[in-house]
Amino acid sequence: MLSVDSLCEIKDARWPMRLAFLGCGRVVEKHSRTLRGFGSFIQCSYASRDPQRAETFRARFAGARAHRSYEAALQSDQVDVVFVCTPPRDHLPWVLAALEQGKDVIVEKPPFLRADDVEQVRASANAAGRFVFVAENYYYR
């Protein structure tokens, strides 16, 4: 299981990790509470279709910044990792857009609607030299 101690052992990682959530719903609340436990190792920022909602999440979870749109988060040089927490029908385009911007990506489950989407993402991640992870909380159970 990932812990603060295991984060310290990751070689060549940039700290703090600057993570931007795309979406500000219930699952982001849960992830934000968990990530607070990592202290200064992870700086969270929030992007929403509603800039005020992003600011509300930033303030509520002591985030580093609020982005006025998903696009703004992807274009920010203050973001290393994008966590796609939009509805599943929107996962594929946002994952591909994040990869195009040179970001590593975490995508909430279910990650994609079609099996072929996985191959498209794999090819895009390889071409960009980036990583894509699925937020699967039952992997070790």
Side-chain angles (χ1 to χ4, degrees):
M1 178 148 204
L2 192 63
S3 66
V4 173
D5 291 335
S6 63
L7 279 175
C8 294
E9 296 173 9
I10 298 173
K11 296 186 187 309
D12 300 324
R14 289 173 287 182
W15 303 113
M17 178 190 300
R18 300 172 301 175
L19 182 143
F21 286 104
L22 301 190
C24 292
R26 258 189 314 172
V27 72
V28 173
E29 291 178 8
K30 291 179 181 183
H31 289 306
S32 293
R33 284 192 298 271
T34 299
L35 292 176
R36 276 195 292 204
F38 288 90
S40 63
F41 283 102
I42 300 176
Q43 288 181 352
C44 294
S45 61
Y46 300 87
S48 177
R49 293 173 294 173
D50 174 359
Q52 184 55 48
R53 187 164 174 85
E55 175 55 30
T56 298
F57 269 65
R58 187 213 57 78
R60 180 174 173 197
F61 296 106
R65 61 196 46 83
H67 302 279
R68 68 185 181 283
S69 65
Y70 299 154
E71 293 86 355
L74 296 182
Q75 294 169 1
S76 174
D77 61 358
Q78 299 298 307
V79 172
D80 304 312
V81 179
V82 172
F83 197 150
V84 179
C85 296
T86 60
R89 69 177 180 275
D90 297 331
H91 286 181
L92 180 63
W94 289 117
V95 168
L96 295 174
L99 291 169
E100 287 174 15
Q101 291 294 324
K103 312 296 186 193
D104 291 311
V105 181
I106 304 168
V107 60
E108 188 56 56
K109 63 186 179 313
F112 308 109
L113 300 181
R114 294 174 301 278
D116 290 344
D117 297 343
V118 174
E119 292 308 318
Q120 183 179 1
V121 168
R122 182 178 310 184
S124 293
N126 287 339
R130 307 312 313 169
F131 294 100
V132 176
F133 300 94
V134 177
E136 178 53 68
N137 57 331
Y138 294 111
Y139 182 76
Y140 292 105
R141 291 187 180 184

